[in-house]
Amino acid sequence: MGRALIIGAGGVAGVVVNKCCQNSDVFEEICIASRTKSKCDALKAKLDGGKTKIETAQVNADNVDELIDLINSYKPDIVMNIALPYQDLTIMEACLATKTHYLDTANYEPEDTAKFEYSWQWAYKKRFEEAGIMALLGCGFDPGVTGVFSAYAAKHYFDEIHEIDILDCNGGDHGYPFATNFNPEINIREVSAKGSYWENGQWVETEPMEIKRVYNFDEVGEKDMYLLHHEELESLGINIKGIKRIRFFMTFGQSYLTHLKCLENVGMTSIEPIMYEGKEIVPLQFLKAVLPDPASLGPRTVGKTNIGCIFKGIKDGEEKHYYVYNVCDHQECYKEVGSQAISYTTGVPAMIGAMLVMNGTWCKPGVYNVEEFDPDPFMEALNKWGLPWKENFNPVMVE
């Protein structure tokens, strides 16, 4: 059907490439591009020989002109941004200049400020409309599938949704005293930032990890989870009819929290540059360099993830509760695509979103979040491509 340019060569990109090759009727050709071309070449070497034709390229995703040259040279139908969220705007600019569809898995955040929100990308809406191209934002799992779950619940089970609790549980064990399951820089910035939730049309801010709940997750068991700020709260608060409150919870083990607190106390999670031996370094970037690469965790991670949404609302005048979620096994993911489940649950939805844009199912000029489209084709594709979902019509609610 077409060709995709995949920018990024980390753990999630590896899953995206695998899944695009599995879906060769849609992704007839792909180009993997990154600052480090050897990583792209390694991915190509693993998957070459199938129906999907694979090319590789070197590109600095911070450089708009380099991106424009690559896009003009390769002429993809869509650019899949699987790089860092700091690079969202440069890649969007390049897509505008070349009139190419765009997709990412996480919203923009400035490199020098631990702040992530959609305003920067939503500001591109008119320009994308005028260019006749589409940008699909946040098409991973959370954000991404959680938005699709919300649209699906609103379409099929509720007249109004009043409350959404997004629960992200990683019950996996990688055996390290401390490691992060996705980019350490992004992960630690998220966790160490102040928490917040959306209630009655405004943000309520909390201290980092201030609000704790315990929940018994299907196929994982009882876990401690903590309220965090997360980007999809912002878009769901606008796009889901009748919403009064949205919260996001993520599970953490005590070892992770203890190590993180120690690193915070000694300044290693700071994003403020410091001078070291005559050179300026960012402590968090140095920490990232010494921690295990998330892409290397696959063979040693065991256990399962459970990520989903619990809804409370009204149907036919009566209160209704509904829970939809996915359970993903780390070792099964590794056997299939060589990754742990965190990368898998992000990479599969990115492939699905790109497929729906390329085949015209989800395709209209402008900048959109996933919950603004018909969820049914995406939900069907989740079952087909490795992330089957489960429903519970009488869930235990989060207090």
Side-chain angles (χ1 to χ4, degrees):
M1 178 181 292
R3 55 170 52 187
L5 171 59
I6 300 166
I7 299 178
V12 175
V15 177
V16 172
V17 170
N18 268 273
K19 285 297 180 177
C20 287
C21 290
Q22 290 179 23
N23 192 2
S24 57
D25 289 344
V26 173
F27 298 93
E28 295 172 327
E29 301 179 30
I30 61 173
C31 178
I32 315 163
S34 173
R35 193 187 304 261
T36 309
K37 187 173 180 291
S38 59
K39 292 183 178 181
C40 307
D41 293 335
L43 282 172
K44 172 181 165 68
K46 290 179 182 177
L47 291 162
D48 241 358
K51 290 184 178 180
T52 300
K53 180 183 177 182
I54 305 173
E55 297 181 31
T56 64
Q58 191 279 332
V59 72
N60 176 3
D62 294 318
N63 188 308
V64 177
D65 290 336
E66 279 192 34
L67 290 163
I68 290 172
D69 288 345
L70 175 58
I71 296 169
N72 280 332
S73 172
Y74 188 65
K75 294 181 170 55
D77 299 296
I78 189 169
V79 174
M80 302 176 69
N81 172 10
I82 318 296
L84 294 170
Y86 317 139
Q87 296 160 332
D88 288 1
L89 301 189
T90 55
I91 300 174
M92 289 180 78
E93 287 286 353
C95 285
L96 275 169
T98 57
K99 296 190 175 179
T100 309
H101 297 310
Y102 168 90
L103 174 146
D104 65 34
T105 62
N107 70 352
Y108 173 73
E109 58 177 287
E111 192 167 5
D112 59 353
T113 308
K115 181 180 182 180
F116 37 102
E117 60 184 48
Y118 280 116
S119 60
W120 289 286
Q121 291 178 278
W122 283 345
Y124 280 76
K125 186 174 182 66
K126 185 176 180 182
R127 292 173 67 194
F128 268 73
E129 287 173 351
E130 291 173 347
I133 56 172
M134 174 176 164
L136 184 62
L137 307 183
C139 195
F141 204 106
D142 47 347
V145 174
T146 50
V148 176
F149 282 169
S150 298
Y152 185 80
K155 178 178 178 179
H156 292 282
Y157 297 123
F158 293 91
D159 296 323
E160 282 192 354
I161 294 174
H162 294 162
E163 296 180 8
I164 304 174
D165 279 330
I166 300 168
L167 311 186
D168 184 326
C169 167
N170 178 17
D173 182 4
H174 46 59
Y176 286 112
F178 184 82
T180 64
N181 287 287
F182 59 96
N183 184 289
E185 199 174 342
I186 306 302
N187 176 274
I188 292 171
R189 279 166 65 128
E190 282 188 8
V191 175
S192 58
K194 288 183 181 292
S196 63
Y197 58 95
W198 182 260
E199 187 167 39
N200 296 324
Q202 61 184 12
W203 291 105
V204 179
E205 191 172 88
T206 69
E207 291 302 311
M209 316 300 268
E210 176 185 352
I211 297 178
K212 171 187 172 182
R213 298 289 186 268
V214 179
Y215 201 82
N216 191 0
F217 291 90
D218 183 27
E219 299 190 45
V220 176
E222 196 170 87
K223 293 287 181 180
D224 294 341
M225 61 183 190
Y226 298 82
L227 186 145
L228 305 181
H229 173 77
H230 225 244
E231 59 230 61
E232 67 262 51
L233 277 62
E234 183 182 10
S235 67
L236 292 174
I238 293 170
N239 294 324
I240 299 300
K241 178 184 176 183
I243 198 72
K244 296 178 180 177
R245 187 185 71 185
I246 317 174
R247 302 181 295 183
F248 180 94
F249 292 91
M250 184 176 283
T251 63
F252 296 97
Q254 191 54 53
S255 176
Y256 178 95
L257 296 176
T258 300
H259 279 81
L260 181 62
K261 190 63 178 177
C262 177
L263 291 166
E264 286 179 338
N265 287 344
V266 297
M268 285 303 299
T269 63
S270 172
I271 60 174
E272 295 298 323
I274 62 169
M275 295 301 296
Y276 175 72
E277 295 187 346
K279 296 180 181 179
E280 190 177 81
I281 67 168
V282 175
L284 181 54
Q285 291 177 355
F286 177 80
L287 177 61
K288 174 186 174 182
V290 300
L291 288 176
D293 182 350
S296 72
L297 299 179
R300 58 184 294 148
T301 305
V302 297
K304 298 179 180 181
T305 63
N306 181 320
I307 313 174
C309 302
I310 300 179
F311 302 93
K312 177 182 176 181
I314 299 295
K315 180 66 175 179
D316 298 328
E318 296 185 358
E319 184 173 293
K320 184 181 180 70
H321 299 167
Y322 171 64
Y323 185 17
V324 57
Y325 61 95
N326 162 264
V327 176
C328 199
D329 187 289
H330 284 285
Q331 282 299 297
E332 290 302 315
C333 295
Y334 185 71
K335 289 175 187 175
E336 182 192 342
V337 299
S339 86
Q340 32 84 358
I342 303 301
S343 294
Y344 191 89
T345 53
T346 305
V348 173
M351 181 280 289
I352 292 172
M355 173 185 70
L356 295 178
V357 174
M358 289 171 69
N359 68 20
T361 304
W362 283 12
C363 196
K364 57 182 179 179
V367 176
Y368 299 96
N369 296 89
V370 296
E371 66 269 14
E372 296 180 79
F373 293 92
D374 180 7
D376 292 358
F378 202 111
M379 294 290 280
E380 181 181 345
L382 287 170
N383 285 330
K384 179 178 180 180
W385 294 105
L387 292 176
W389 39 277
K390 300 182 179 184
E391 297 176 298
N392 183 341
F393 293 91
N394 187 31
V396 175
M397 305 299 286
V398 181
E399 64 181 71

